Each structure stands twice: as C-alpha cells, then as structure tokens.
Amino acid sequence: MNDASGEKIDEHLRAADPDGKQLPKQQEHEHMHLDPSRWWFASSAFPMIAGTLGPVASAFSICALARPWRQNYLPGSDIDAAPFIKDPVWLTIINAIQLLIALMANMALLLNMTQRLRFSIAQPVTIVGWYISSICLIALTATASGPLIIEPTSQYIWSQAFYYGIYGAALYFLVASLMLITFLGAQTEHYPKDFVLTPSQRTLMMQTILLLFYLLLGALVFGRIEGWNYLDAVYWAAVTLFTVGFGDFSPETALGKGLVMPFALVGIISLGLVIGSIRSLVLDRGRRRLSARMVEKRRRRMLKRMTKKGKDGILVPIKEGDELKHTPSEVDRGLTEFERREKEFKLMRDIQKETSRKRRWYATAISTCTWAALWLGGARIFQACEEAYQGWTYFDGIFFCFVSLTTIGYGDIVPVSNAGKSFWVFWALLALPTMTVLISNAGDTVVKGIRDATDAIATITILPSERPFKKDLKRFLKHLSFGVLFKDEIIEETPTGILGEAQDRDNSSSDSEEENDAETALQRDQAESSNSPTSPRVRFNPPFQDDNAHNKNIDDNTADENHPRDQQLRQRKRRKSAPFTLPDRQQDYLVILIDEIARVTAHLKEHPPRKYSFKEWAWYLRLIGEDESDAGQHGRASTHVRTKRDKFRGGRPNGGLEGGEAKVTEKVVPWSWVGSKSPLMGGKEEAEWILERLIERLGEELRRGRGEGDEEGGQEGERDEL
C-alpha cells in the first residue's frame, strides 16, 4: 500500500520488522485457504461490487434529476406525450446536493483503489457520502405519499425520474453498507488496509464510469436529434448497447441513422470490456479463492477420516532404516521415504481433482439460481408495471424477460409504462452480466460433459482411437460409472509409441502418464536448452527417473562415462529413492538456477495453468534446498489450522550446494504434501510458487558469493599492507 505522498509503506513495515512478524506480501495468496471466505468477500469482492455499482447509482441520480417527477396522464392517452409537472424548488436543490455528494464519494473510492488517497481518509468519505445520498433520496421519494400528491390522483403518474431515484437510493444504501463492512474488517485487522486487486480489476470502476457517461451522453445527443424525451432516450441507448433491439424506439432521421452505427459499435465494445472484467472477477479471482478454501476443507475431512479408520500410515515420515518395518497400514509396508512422499503427493492431487469438479458444479448451480431469480422475479415485477397499461400476465413477463436475457428481442411485447422502462434499465445491468457468467460456468460443466460423452461414444463406435478397443471401452465405462468401475486400474490415456509422443502433453495428467523413455526425455531437454539464454554454458537437466529405473542398468561397456549424453542418461536411470545430485561448483549451480527460471517463466504462459508431476516437484525442491528422500525435512499432516502469522516455509531452502557447502540460514519447518504448508495449497499457481522460490534462491546465492568475494578482497588488502 502506498501513502498519499507515494511512499511505499509496505517496504517500510518490512524493513522495520526484520523478524518476519508481518506477513510478506508475496505469501498472502499462499495463506488464502486458511482465511474464512467471508473475509475475502469483505476485503476484495465487496470493494469491487461497490466500485461497479457506485457509478451506476450516480447515473440513476442524474436520471432522477434530469426530468420532473410527475406527469399529467389521462387514462387511454399516449403516455409518451404526457406533460410534466414542475417539481418544487426544494426537491430539485436537495436532489442536486445529494448527487454532488455521491460524485465526491465515488471519486474518493476511485482514488483509493488507484492508491492515490489513503484508506483511512477515502473510506469514511465514501461511506458517509453514499449514506447521505441514500437518505436524501429516500426522504424525497417518501414525499410521494404527501407533498407531491395532486388530486385527482387518477390523472397523475410518477415519471421515470421518480423510479430512478428509488433505484439510486437502494444502490447507495447497498454499496455504503458493503464498504462499511470492508472498513470495519480492516480496522479489526482481519486483512490489510488496502485493496489487493489486479490492474484490470482496479480499472473496472473507471471502465464502468466511462461506459455510463457514454450511455448518458449518447442518450442526450440522440434525444435532441430524434425529439425523444431524455429518459426515453436513456432506455433506447441501453436497449441498443445491450444488443436487444426491441424496435419500439429507433432513429428515423438520416443524421440519427448515420450516428447510431459508430455509437453502437463503440458502446458494445465498451460494454464487453466491463462485462469481461466482471467475469474475470467472478470466475478467475473468485474461483481461485473459493477453490483454495474448498481444498482446505476437503483436506481436513480426508485426514480426519483416514485417522479414524487407521489408514494414516502413509502420512508418517519414514526414517532411515524403517523401510521394512511394520507401519499402521499394510499397504505402506516397505516403502522408502521418496516413494511414500510420491503416494502422499498423488493423494493431494486426488483431493484437488475432486474439489475442482465440485467447485465447477457449485458455481454452475449458484449462477443458475441467480439467473433464474432475476428471470422469474423480474417477470413478476414487469407484470405489475404493465398490467394496468397493457394487461400483461405473468407468462408475458416470463417471455419478455427471456427474450431480453438471451438478447433475442422480438419486440412484440415491450414495456410502455414509466416504471417498466426504468426498471428494464436497472434490471438489464444486473441480469445480462449474470447471463454471461452462467454461460461460462455451463461451458466448464454441462457443455464439457456433453462434449466428452460425445467423444467417448464416438471412440468406441465410428471413430476408434489408436489405443486397443478394450482400453477405450474400459475408459468409457469408468467415466460412465463416475470412477466406480476399474477404479484401481490405470488406463492409458494416450497411445503408445510414436503416436503418443506426437500428441501434446497434458499437464494435468497423473504420474502414470509421464514420459518413461529416458532417451526421448533427454532429446526434449536438449531441444529446449537450445532456445535457452544460457545454452552456450554448462547445462544440467532435471533427472526425471523412469518408474522402473531401479530394475534397469546402463551398459557400461557401451556408455562413455565422460560423454555428457551418457552421464545424463545414467542420471535418469538412477533408483527412485536416490537423492538428486547437484554440482559442487557454485557457478554450475547458478547456471542451473538461471536455466530453470527461464523454463518456469515460460510455463507461466501456459493455459490451462501447468500442473507439475511429482518428479518435477522433487527436482525443483532439490534446487531450492529440499530433499524428498530426507524424512527429517518432512512432517505429518495435521488438521490443525495455522494462524496467519505463522511462518510459511514449505519448500524453502535450508542450505546451498550438495555436500553442505552453503551456510544454513534458516531451519526448514517440516511439512507434508497434504498439510496446510503444502505448496499445492493456497491461491498461487504452481509455476508462480516455484518461480518465486527459484528467484529467491538465486538472490541468496549471489549475495552469499558477493559476501565471500568481499571477504577475500579484504584479506588480500591486509596482506598487501603487511
């Protein structure tokens, strides 16, 4: 968080707290699975909702001030031609004052989100300003039952401006309450006094402001050109930009028809940007946070169940010499620590897979329910608005809402009342983004299921794959039974031989689908190294061993011990439980770190995010100082929830090069793949987690080397003086 003067407060805090009592900023995502979801909503989701709906409320306030609140309407006449009744002066003044206060509140929130104004100043201004605007509009609309009543009441109706005032009051109260919760949560130190937002999320509020300004300005221009009432022009602009196009209002002049093309094009693109940012908030940031929390809950339930049933032997680290001893689980007898950790890793992958599937269906269910509520609830409100004017039934409202949500827009039934037109603008701003989110969630579940089922049926009928038919049939039955059939049998996902190697690698596949041919792996690494910035230098490739490597031997009669190719092949064929060997020279070790940093940086660009195998994880952990074969660095997973102040160390280095050359800077806290300290927990992508540790490790080694060089230089200087 930056001060208003531009100083980086976080850096000062970390400098003033060298003991690590303050949580490092890069580790906030790693701890998100430990915090209740309600605090994530309060710290991130609520400010984004307020930043989006706050400008909408101000736009409605402008509409409430644009026209008088009453019209003289005779039953059976044209409502669009009904004359307006001038408002009292006090109503106009109070309405203008509340609009000015609301704009100041929006500006304070915008400056706070862009880190131009302090949290302690911006939030009280925003909250108090919105509450004042809400109270003013509530008081003004309450005069509808008193001073604004004109007799006979049957000849007077409320204009669209009156209803916009009601919508604005409701939105102001909502966003002010959300920001009050955010402010109180920060004051009680549940999260920092700052908005942890991405640049695209920070600009969402500005995008919304620009879109609403564009809509209101376009309505003003086309209202003058076509002779429309301004609020009718706002309704037309919303119908146009949302691509519904009812046809009840359309430009008739040549100038209007000419201008509508660039107006609609720019407006639709701008609307797409706003909806895309909202979708990113709901589907990306919200997905990562909720998924991490669901994984944590699932992990705890799994550990409790395993402990209760006595099947927790796989969670106990195996010390040296204990491989053949009896463990609590008969299945786990005779495992090495490396093999036990691999089984533990696969257990965590199963938890992630099941949680991901449930999260997708939960998200689809929630978005479906929200969409259905807006559809059916909106239909009832539209029926109430139009029943007195057009005699709408509830089915008419359902049909109208459906053609609006799907942007079909037949135009056979459209709202004509002031309440109906204004409510459509308010309703569409909520319903259409919800429709977009629903389509995205359905694509991850329903559509994906239909596509996978179609592919599976085609595979065993008219479009057989290169795999044997028996394996395709087993795979189909396994998916059809949701994993009940053939659950203990590994079914090959890709064809063997050259056909399998020709296909793209699936980063989310299990270890059983990894490349088993050491020769092919070596060729792949050599090809990748040719594009590396460090390729002219010495290259060390990660020793991803074969699953059956301990049963294979290298023919020493045909292998050249000094040839780099045979040395790397020999590395790849070591026994699984053997530690990964790093070079003794620091320069060569730095080459490996730099090379792997380049490799992992490229992995960050992959979509979907890359999921590393256990052997890849073992290599990267070895690079930063951990050994998957060393039980002393591993702990037993527990359901205990660590506090946010606990030091996270999972996978941090505890030394330098092989042989203990480097100085131990900090003790590594034992951790488990299914524990709360696991690098697979939290909200960071795996490549991001590894990259940060590799860069940190590189920095430590460079600083240590520089310190040793300064010390040697000082000694030489002393010798020269002597």
Side-chain angles (χ1 to χ4, degrees):
M1 180 177 65
N2 291 350
D3 191 277
S5 62
E7 296 183 356
K8 297 182 178 180
I9 300 176
D10 290 339
E11 293 182 3
H12 291 290
L13 289 175
R14 285 194 285 271
D17 188 25
D19 296 332
K21 295 180 180 179
Q22 296 290 338
L23 188 67
K25 195 174 187 63
Q26 73 175 36
Q27 296 177 8
E28 291 176 358
H29 288 291
E30 298 167 6
H31 293 267
M32 65 169 51
H33 63 287
L34 301 177
D35 300 326
S37 300
R38 59 181 178 272
W39 294 124
W40 174 80
F41 280 106
S43 63
S44 297
F46 286 178
M48 292 305 303
I49 295 174
T52 303
L53 296 183
V56 175
S58 297
F60 289 164
S61 293
I62 294 175
C63 293
L65 185 62
R67 301 296 292 169
W69 283 17
R70 297 167 296 178
Q71 287 181 275
N72 185 5
Y73 171 72
L74 298 177
S77 61
D78 185 7
I79 191 173
D80 294 332
F84 288 92
I85 306 298
K86 187 176 181 181
D87 290 334
V89 177
W90 55 267
L91 188 148
T92 304
I93 293 175
I94 295 176
N95 204 354
I97 292 175
Q98 68 82 19
L99 175 59
L100 180 61
I101 294 174
L103 293 176
M104 294 174 59
N106 277 289
M107 184 59 63
L109 180 61
L110 178 62
L111 293 177
N112 185 210
M113 284 188 170
T114 55
Q115 299 181 348
R116 296 293 185 271
L117 189 63
R118 293 182 184 179
F119 183 91
S120 58
I121 297 176
Q123 292 311 302
V125 172
T126 300
I127 295 169
V128 173
W130 278 342
Y131 269 129
I132 292 176
S133 297
S134 177
I135 292 172
C136 289
L137 286 174
I138 291 174
L140 291 179
T141 54
T143 60
S145 60
L148 295 183
I149 294 294
I150 302 178
E151 297 294 341
T153 57
S154 60
Q155 297 183 7
Y156 296 91
I157 59 173
W158 302 111
S159 69
Q160 295 183 53
F162 171 79
Y163 294 106
Y164 279 119
I166 295 176
Y167 308 145
L171 289 179
Y172 280 138
F173 187 83
L174 173 63
V175 295
S177 300
L178 294 179
M179 293 307 302
L180 178 61
I181 296 174
T182 300
F183 182 75
L184 294 177
Q187 291 297 111
T188 54
E189 298 184 352
H190 286 289
Y191 41 80
K193 296 179 181 179
D194 190 14
F195 298 122
V196 185
L197 306 175
T198 62
S200 61
Q201 292 166 346
R202 292 182 186 276
T203 59
L204 175 59
M205 187 176 182
M206 180 58 68
Q207 293 174 357
T208 305
I209 292 174
L210 294 177
L211 174 64
L212 293 172
F213 177 78
Y214 184 78
L215 187 148
L216 297 178
L217 181 62
L220 178 63
V221 172
F222 280 93
R224 294 293 181 87
I225 294 175
E226 300 295 332
W228 295 333
N229 171 18
Y230 177 69
L231 298 184
D232 285 339
V234 170
Y235 165 76
W236 168 84
V239 170
T240 301
L241 297 187
F242 282 117
T243 67
V244 178
F246 290 130
D248 49 345
F249 287 89
S250 60
E252 298 180 355
T253 64
L255 179 59
K257 292 179 180 179
L259 291 178
V260 76
M261 290 182 282
F263 171 76
L265 183 61
V266 175
I268 291 171
I269 294 175
S270 302
L271 179 63
L273 292 175
V274 173
I275 293 180
S277 298
I278 296 174
R279 178 186 177 277
S280 175
L281 168 68
V282 176
L283 297 181
D284 295 337
R285 185 172 177 82
R287 169 186 298 170
R288 181 181 297 185
R289 176 62 182 84
L290 296 179
S291 180
R293 187 61 181 166
M294 290 176 67
V295 169
E296 170 65 14
K297 291 182 177 180
R298 172 65 181 169
R299 181 192 69 84
R300 290 188 216 166
R301 288 195 298 267
M302 183 272 297
L303 292 180
K304 290 179 180 179
R305 185 170 62 251
M306 292 179 65
T307 303
K308 185 177 180 180
K309 294 182 178 180
K311 298 182 179 180
D312 55 343
I314 190 65
L315 306 178
V316 181
I318 302 174
K319 305 296 183 180
E320 185 177 357
D322 292 345
E323 290 88 346
L324 301 178
K325 292 184 178 180
H326 177 74
T327 63
S329 174
E330 292 289 340
V331 179
D332 304 326
R333 181 189 300 177
L335 294 179
T336 63
E337 175 62 9
F338 189 90
E339 293 166 339
R340 185 199 68 82
R341 290 282 285 185
E342 185 173 10
K343 295 188 68 174
E344 196 178 64
F345 178 86
K346 292 179 179 180
L347 182 61
M348 189 63 199
R349 282 291 191 224
D350 291 339
I351 294 174
Q352 289 181 317
K353 184 177 180 180
E354 182 179 353
T355 302
S356 177
R357 180 178 57 83
K358 288 185 177 180
R359 181 200 53 77
R360 291 195 299 267
W361 282 104
Y362 286 159
T364 302
I366 292 173
S367 57
T368 301
C369 292
T370 305
W371 178 80
L374 289 170
W375 177 26
L376 302 178
R380 181 65 185 86
I381 296 176
F382 281 116
Q383 180 204 3
C385 294
E386 300 298 324
E387 187 174 12
Y389 294 88
Q390 302 184 76
W392 277 19
T393 63
Y394 184 54
F395 179 77
D396 291 330
I398 290 177
F399 177 76
F400 171 74
C401 288
F402 182 81
V403 297
S404 298
L405 282 170
T406 54
T407 67
I408 296 175
Y410 288 124
D412 51 342
I413 55 174
V414 293
V416 297
S417 66
N418 292 329
K421 292 177 183 177
S422 59
F423 180 72
W424 190 92
V425 176
F426 171 72
W427 175 83
L429 289 172
L430 300 177
L432 294 182
T434 303
M435 183 72 179
T436 302
V437 174
L438 173 61
I439 293 174
S440 298
N441 287 330
D444 293 337
T445 52
V446 179
V447 176
K448 182 178 182 299
I450 295 174
R451 183 178 65 249
D452 292 345
T454 303
D455 293 341
I457 294 173
T459 300
I460 62 175
T461 54
I462 60 175
L463 295 174
S465 66
E466 293 82 3
R467 289 184 296 267
F469 175 77
K470 185 178 179 180
K471 289 187 176 181
D472 285 333
L473 183 60
K474 286 183 177 181
R475 183 167 175 259
F476 173 74
L477 294 176
K478 183 177 181 179
H479 289 298
L480 188 64
S481 62
F482 298 99
V484 175
L485 299 176
F486 309 108
K487 61 180 179 180
D488 296 329
E489 182 173 349
I490 299 176
I491 302 174
E492 196 174 329
E493 295 289 340
T494 56
T496 57
I498 190 173
L499 292 175
E501 297 298 335
Q503 296 185 4
D504 292 336
R505 177 181 177 182
D506 185 3
N507 296 328
S508 62
S509 62
S510 63
D511 286 348
S512 63
E513 299 167 353
E514 294 175 8
E515 181 181 325
N516 290 323
D517 182 45
E519 180 80 22
T520 306
L522 177 61
Q523 293 174 359
R524 182 196 65 191
D525 289 338
Q526 289 175 341
E528 291 181 0
S529 66
S530 63
N531 297 325
S532 172
T534 62
S535 57
R537 303 160 67 182
V538 180
R539 169 147 182 101
F540 295 88
N541 290 294
F544 303 148
Q545 291 91 350
D546 208 323
D547 287 343
N548 298 318
H550 57 284
N551 295 327
K552 300 178 182 179
N553 295 312
I554 299 178
D555 188 356
D556 294 331
N557 295 325
T558 59
D560 184 0
E561 293 183 358
N562 298 322
H563 197 285
R565 176 177 174 276
D566 290 326
Q567 289 177 354
Q568 294 179 13
L569 281 173
R570 188 175 293 104
Q571 264 191 334
R572 294 179 178 281
K573 293 182 178 291
R574 287 201 316 270
R575 191 179 187 278
K576 291 172 59 175
S577 59
F580 299 129
T581 301
L582 296 179
D584 294 330
R585 296 175 57 205
Q586 187 186 38
Q587 293 85 349
D588 296 337
Y589 176 62
L590 294 178
V591 169
I592 298 178
L593 285 177
I594 295 172
D595 216 12
E596 292 303 329
I597 287 173
R599 183 194 299 270
V600 177
T601 301
H603 294 167
L604 286 173
K605 302 176 183 179
E606 296 183 6
H607 186 78
R610 187 183 183 92
K611 301 292 185 183
Y612 293 96
S613 68
F614 174 73
K615 295 172 186 176
E616 290 173 312
W617 267 108
W619 163 247
Y620 288 121
L621 290 176
R622 182 60 175 161
L623 275 180
I624 59 179
E626 291 248 0
D627 186 357
E628 284 296 275
S629 301
D630 185 3
Q633 299 179 0
H634 306 149
R636 177 170 179 170
S638 172
T639 57
H640 169 68
V641 180
R642 298 178 298 116
T643 62
K644 196 171 183 180
R645 301 291 180 183
D646 289 343
K647 190 79 173 178
F648 177 83
R649 292 295 302 163
R652 288 284 300 276
N654 69 332
L657 303 181
E658 191 70 18
E661 292 183 22
K663 182 180 178 180
V664 177
T665 58
E666 187 174 352
K667 184 179 180 180
V668 176
V669 177
W671 59 279
S672 169
W673 282 112
V674 291
S676 59
K677 300 176 184 179
S678 171
L680 299 182
M681 300 294 294
K684 283 189 176 180
E685 301 296 347
E686 296 180 18
E688 184 181 0
W689 192 98
I690 293 174
L691 182 62
E692 287 183 357
R693 268 48 182 196
L694 291 176
I695 294 175
E696 183 179 355
R697 182 62 173 168
L698 179 62
E700 291 177 358
E701 290 297 320
L702 292 176
R703 285 190 295 270
R704 188 173 65 86
R706 183 176 59 184
E708 293 177 353
D710 294 341
E711 184 178 351
E712 293 176 358
Q715 294 176 356
E716 292 178 359
E718 293 178 358
R719 288 195 297 269
D720 293 340
E721 292 178 358
L722 292 175

